[in-house]
Amino acid sequence: MAAILALEDGAKRENCVKLVCAGDWKDVDWSLRCFSTVIIDDIFGGRSLDHELLKDWKIVLNDIEQFAKDKYLNVIITSRQYITKEAREMLDNITMFRETSENIIHLESSSLSADEMKCILKAVLERSGTVKNMKKFGIKLGDCVKKTKGLYSRLLGQISGTVFGFPECAVLFASGSLMERHGSKFFKRPESHFKTYVQQLYKSGDTEQFYKFLSLVIIWSEKTQTIKKEDLQNPIKVSDHVRQIADCFGVKINIISL
């Protein structure tokens, strides 16, 4: 999507540049006008908020925003919604990431076409080296997509989005034995398989895995579904929510156990 937007209005590939970190922005002499479009993908991290990336980008974001407002550059920034939401609290007077910004577009799996889903799933399978298993187990891309579209059709109007987007489901499907065990049926209820794995972690008797499971339960049961590291660093200041969930699992929060 970013590439398509970057090449709109007759823009040439050689005039587009992708920046990986804030240092890249500082290394370019923008006065030379070599580039007309900038792409910054997963600006604050790919899976979770990267505080170092956030700190570095924060220094130059006002300049980037001004260049875009002055139509000096076209700037395309991608970020996962939950990461942006967490980062927004630390961006102070930087306005470009505010929910009210007219420049923000939310892309959700429910709006993907069947062809787009096929392309995403095929790309994930090829990247993981498991595309050959589809034929081996007699699984068709079209069947996977039909079941996914059926899932989003049932959820449409009931909730805003789902726990997993389609790309995340595709990665989960391609990375383990789920393809062989469930075939395309996996896409009817992908969240149930994740829950099963989490339950297995809890039942394993492994102390480290138990605490990972407990962490997930704490976050899932929190209304905002987010929790900050600072909330856990001082046992005296731990919220009642964390204490209650931990108590349900027989964990007493004190200076030693935290």
Side-chain angles (χ1 to χ4, degrees), residues 52-97:
E52 288 302 314
L53 279 175
L54 175 63
K55 183 176 71 175
D56 292 342
W57 280 114
K58 191 175 178 180
I59 298 171
V60 298
L61 279 175
N62 280 322
D63 291 339
I64 293 174
E65 184 172 17
Q66 195 58 53
F67 271 40
K69 284 181 176 178
D70 294 342
K71 301 189 183 301
Y72 195 85
L73 275 177
N74 294 320
V75 182
I76 302 166
I77 297 173
T78 72
S79 178
R80 297 169 195 267
Q81 193 170 354
Y82 60 88
I83 293 177
T84 307
K85 182 179 179 182
E86 187 177 354
R88 195 180 290 128
E89 300 174 6
M90 308 170 204
L91 290 174
D92 305 326
N93 62 335
I94 297 170
T95 61
M96 72 167 84
F97 294 102

Side-chain angles (χ1 to χ4, degrees), residues 113-127 141 145 166 170:
S113 69
D115 286 340
E116 287 170 328
M117 286 185 171
K118 282 182 183 178
C119 288
I120 290 171
L121 180 55
K122 185 179 180 182
V124 170
L125 291 167
E126 288 175 345
R127 189 167 64 243
L141 289 176
V145 170
F166 180 73

Side-chain angles (χ1 to χ4, degrees), residues 11-257:
K12 297 179 180 178
R13 290 177 181 270
E14 57 266 29
N15 298 128
C16 302
V17 62
K18 181 178 178 181
L19 307 182
V20 176
C21 62
D24 292 344
W25 171 267
K26 298 174 184 176
D27 289 340
V28 176
D29 184 349
W30 299 106
S31 66
L32 298 176
R33 304 298 292 265
C34 296
F35 304 110
S36 60
T37 303
V38 168
I39 297 176
I40 308 172
D41 192 29
D42 283 329
I43 185 168
F44 302 129
R47 293 290 180 183
S48 59
L49 179 64
D50 186 320
H51 289 271
E52 288 302 314
L53 279 175
L54 175 63
K55 183 176 71 175
D56 292 342
W57 280 114
K58 191 175 178 180
I59 298 171
V60 298
L61 279 175
N62 280 322
D63 291 339
I64 293 174
E65 184 172 17
Q66 195 58 53
F67 271 40
K69 284 181 176 178
D70 294 342
K71 301 189 183 301
Y72 195 85
L73 275 177
N74 294 320
V75 182
I76 302 166
I77 297 173
T78 72
S79 178
R80 297 169 195 267
Q81 193 170 354
Y82 60 88
I83 293 177
T84 307
K85 182 179 179 182
E86 187 177 354
R88 195 180 290 128
E89 300 174 6
M90 308 170 204
L91 290 174
D92 305 326
N93 62 335
I94 297 170
T95 61
M96 72 167 84
F97 294 102
R98 291 179 184 172
E99 288 186 341
T100 53
S101 173
E102 60 183 13
N103 295 316
I104 291 180
I105 299 174
H106 294 293
L107 302 179
E108 296 185 350
S109 295
S110 57
S111 61
L112 289 170
S113 69
D115 286 340
E116 287 170 328
M117 286 185 171
K118 282 182 183 178
C119 288
I120 290 171
L121 180 55
K122 185 179 180 182
V124 170
L125 291 167
E126 288 175 345
R127 189 167 64 243
S128 65
T130 56
V131 68
K132 58 184 179 296
N133 292 340
M134 294 286 282
K135 187 174 182 180
K136 178 181 176 181
F137 302 131
I139 306 168
K140 296 180 180 178
L141 289 176
D143 292 338
C144 297
V145 170
K146 282 180 183 177
K147 289 178 172 57
T148 299
K149 294 298 284 185
L151 168 68
Y152 286 115
S153 295
R154 292 195 302 275
L155 294 173
L156 202 61
Q158 297 177 28
I159 59 173
S160 177
T162 59
V163 175
F164 296 108
F166 180 73
E168 287 79 7
C169 292
V171 170
L172 185 60
F173 180 67
S175 61
S177 60
L178 291 167
M179 187 188 302
E180 179 181 1
R181 287 165 52 196
H182 301 284
S184 61
K185 290 181 181 178
F186 162 82
F187 289 93
K188 289 185 72 173
R189 290 196 64 199
E191 76 287 349
S192 65
H193 300 292
F194 183 75
K195 290 176 184 175
T196 299
Y197 282 156
V198 171
Q199 288 165 353
Q200 287 173 353
L201 292 179
Y202 171 47
K203 294 175 182 177
S204 68
D206 186 316
T207 302
E208 183 180 348
Q209 297 286 30
F210 166 75
Y211 279 105
K212 287 180 180 178
F213 172 80
L214 178 59
S215 301
L216 282 172
V217 174
I218 288 172
I219 294 170
W220 275 352
S221 55
E222 172 63 49
K223 286 183 179 180
T224 61
Q225 293 192 332
T226 59
I227 195 165
K228 295 179 181 177
K229 183 171 64 175
E230 294 77 16
D231 297 334
L232 300 173
Q233 288 179 329
N234 188 340
I236 299 173
K237 296 183 179 179
V238 167
S239 69
D240 289 338
H241 166 73
V242 174
R243 290 184 184 279
Q244 289 167 2
I245 301 300
D247 187 56
C248 289
F249 286 86
V251 176
K252 301 298 180 186
I253 294 180
N254 52 50
I255 295 174
I256 296 174
S257 66

